[in-house]
């Protein structure tokens, strides 16, 4: 038995595992949970982050507009299933206009830490890098310095200081549809200056685990457990029809999270359903948020589907940790 360390969330969105299901994750029966017209301007709503907020949920959503401009929008929900997403992008403020300079914003994660909600996202600043901001009300977002130099994507915070330092995963990249990518952890004492960069894990060359052979990137904010950090990520293979994005999971050392204890050799979710295989970018499942209930061990994962809509899938901490151990990838 693995114990989630963190608050109970008895109202977590949930469906029981269907009889006969053999895979570690099972999809919400009414997926997609958010369709492509999630707000007035959207062409697509995907790769978005939700967190418990007040007596319900809040989130930061990637809505690409019908001009195909990428930006972030706040949304609110009572049950985590039915969402009201705002029609205007989140309001970012700072004293430093250079920091507020906007090229594009996408793929947010939201991390509740020390009483604030921290947002990390892929921020255009002469190329993609990692933007950071905090909010208390999902109305005003206080933007911090970009955490890292371009080019980088998939910045994901750990939800507490570890050994006295904030920790941020990221995936150094290029300016295009990066055909490589490994995960690193950077450390900071103030959320401004990041250093002490550590290699965590990389794409798996060859065909031993080919679904993650081209690049990998961190997904939701990791879930703390008594066995280590439970980390869900995406893995990509390049095929004759283009990139295919699947989901994997790993267990990381609690004090040195760049040390991987176990990592799934077989994927945990793949684009199989029509809304995951057909859309603006076919064959993509891309996780950006996970809710966890320490009381029951239930986990609900929000993921982008085919860069078009948002899906929801369920598992339990015991199911996922056991799966990673039983299907461990060894170098
Ligand atoms: C990545 C990012 C993601 C997207 C994925 C698949 O590079 O742009 O937002 O989901 O490609 O298109």
């Amino acid at each position: 038995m693995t114990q989630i360390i963190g608050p109970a969330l008895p109202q977590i969105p949930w469906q029981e595992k269907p009889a006969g299901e053999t895979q570690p994750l099972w999809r919400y029966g009414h997926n997609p949970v958010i369709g492509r017209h999630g707000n007035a301007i959207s062409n697509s709503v995907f790769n978005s982050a939700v967190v418990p907020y007040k007596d319900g949920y809040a989130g930061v959503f990637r809505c690409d507009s019908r001009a195909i401009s990428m930006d972030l929008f706040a949304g609110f929900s009572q049950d985590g299933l039915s969402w009201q997403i705002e029609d205007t992008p989140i309001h970012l403020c700072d004293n430093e206009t250079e920091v507020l300079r906007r090229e594009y914003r996408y793929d947010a994660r939201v991390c509740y830490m020390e009483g604030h909600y921290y947002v990390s996202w892929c921020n255009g600043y002469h190329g993609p890098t990692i933007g950071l901001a905090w909010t208390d009300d999902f109305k005003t977002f206080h933007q911090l310095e970009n955490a890292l130099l371009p080019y980088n994507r998939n910045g994901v915070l750990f939800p507490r200081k570890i050994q006295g330092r904030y920790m941020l995963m990221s995936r150094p990249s290029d300016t295009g549809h990066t055909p490589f990518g490994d995960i690193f952890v950077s450390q900071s004492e103030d959320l401004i200056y990041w250093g002490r960069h550590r290699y965590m894990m990389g794409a798996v060359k060859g065909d031993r685990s080919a679904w993650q052979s081209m690049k990998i990137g961190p997904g939701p904010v990791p879930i703390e457990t008594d066995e280590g950090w439970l980390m869900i990520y995406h893995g990509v293979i390049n095929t004759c029809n283009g990139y295919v994005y699947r989901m994997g999971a790993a267990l990381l050392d609690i004090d040195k999270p760049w040390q991987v204890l176990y990592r799934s050799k077989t994927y945990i979710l793949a684009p199989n359903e029509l809304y995951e295989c057909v859309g603006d970018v076919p064959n993509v499942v891309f996780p950006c948020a996970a809710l966890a209930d320490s009381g029951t061990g239930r986990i609900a994962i929000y993921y982008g589907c085919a860069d078009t809509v948002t899906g929801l899938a369920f598992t339990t901490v015991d199911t996922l940790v056991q799966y990673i151990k039983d299907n461990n990838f060894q170098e």
Side-chain angles (χ1 to χ4, degrees):
M1 297 292 273
T2 309
Q3 179 62 46
I4 291 172
I5 298 171
L9 189 63
Q11 76 279 24
I12 189 170
W14 184 252
Q15 283 178 338
E16 292 298 334
K17 183 173 187 163
E21 176 63 68
T22 56
Q23 299 302 301
L25 267 56
W26 54 97
R27 293 168 178 83
Y28 175 51
H30 302 288
N31 264 355
V33 67
I34 304 170
R36 66 155 71 227
H37 299 301
N39 72 7
I41 62 97
S42 66
N43 162 77
S44 43
V45 184
F46 60 109
N47 300 4
S48 300
V50 312
V51 280
Y53 178 68
K54 294 189 175 165
D55 59 353
Y57 300 91
V60 176
F61 294 85
R62 170 174 177 176
C63 302
D64 291 7
S65 72
R66 291 193 289 279
I68 312 299
S69 160
M70 303 179 282
D71 218 325
L72 303 178
F73 297 74
F76 300 91
S77 173
Q78 204 52 52
D79 58 7
L81 301 171
S82 168
W83 286 90
Q84 287 75 50
I85 302 175
E86 292 181 352
D87 297 326
T88 51
I90 60 170
H91 175 64
L92 288 157
C93 58
D94 187 63
N95 295 329
E96 185 73 68
T97 51
E98 183 67 10
V99 172
L100 295 171
R101 181 181 177 280
R102 179 193 175 278
E103 277 177 31
Y104 47 79
R105 303 184 181 115
Y106 65 83
D107 292 4
R109 277 70 166 184
V110 181
C111 177
Y112 182 67
M113 183 164 62
E114 299 174 353
H116 301 294
Y117 299 90
Y118 286 91
V119 187
S120 56
W121 70 94
C122 178
N123 192 35
Y125 182 76
H126 306 277
T129 187
I130 307 304
L132 282 181
W134 63 270
T135 184
D136 288 334
D137 56 8
F138 289 84
K139 302 241 174 286
T140 304
F141 292 75
H142 305 266
Q143 192 168 356
L144 305 173
E145 294 286 334
N146 288 313
L148 299 167
L149 283 169
Y151 309 111
N152 207 310
R153 293 189 174 95
N154 298 302
V156 182
L157 288 163
F158 283 81
R160 64 167 171 83
K161 281 183 170 173
I162 301 171
Q163 307 279 298
R165 298 194 186 100
Y166 300 104
M167 304 250 172
L168 176 75
M169 289 181 283
S170 75
R171 210 284 308 285
S173 66
D174 62 14
T175 53
H177 301 298
T178 316
F180 60 87
D182 302 331
I183 302 175
F184 291 79
V185 180
S186 304
Q187 307 177 55
S188 173
E189 277 157 25
D190 57 6
L191 293 166
I192 305 289
Y193 296 97
W194 294 89
R196 303 175 197 261
H197 312 291
R198 301 280 186 271
Y199 175 87
M200 177 192 286
M201 61 178 179
V204 175
K205 302 304 167 203
D207 81 337
R208 290 171 303 154
S209 184
W211 66 272
Q212 50 184 337
S213 57
M214 198 186 71
K215 59 177 170 178
I216 60 171
V221 169
I223 297 167
E224 185 168 6
T225 79
D226 62 353
E227 298 203 52
W229 295 101
L230 179 57
M231 199 276 261
I232 297 163
Y233 63 98
H234 67 261
V236 186
I237 183 174
N238 192 13
T239 74
C240 58
N241 276 324
Y243 295 175
V244 178
Y245 283 67
R246 294 183 174 85
M247 242 184 254
L251 203 59
L252 313 174
D253 183 86
I254 204 76
D255 292 326
K256 295 181 177 165
W258 50 88
Q259 292 183 357
V260 179
L261 307 176
Y262 300 94
R263 165 186 188 178
S264 57
K265 177 174 182 170
T266 45
Y267 60 75
I268 63 167
L269 194 84
N272 290 167
E273 298 297 327
L274 198 58
Y275 55 89
E276 299 162 343
C277 300
V278 178
D280 290 8
V281 181
N283 304 320
V284 179
V285 293
F286 196 98
C288 286
L291 301 171
D293 174 23
S294 61
T296 57
R298 292 171 175 176
I299 296 173
I301 300 165
Y302 292 80
Y303 64 102
C305 306
D307 284 11
T308 305
V309 298
T310 301
L312 179 58
F314 305 110
T315 188
T316 68
V317 69
D318 285 329
T319 307
L320 198 50
V321 168
Q322 195 59 48
Y323 183 86
I324 307 171
K325 289 179 178 174
D326 290 346
N327 296 278
N328 185 31
F329 176 79
Q330 281 160 321
E331 294 287 348

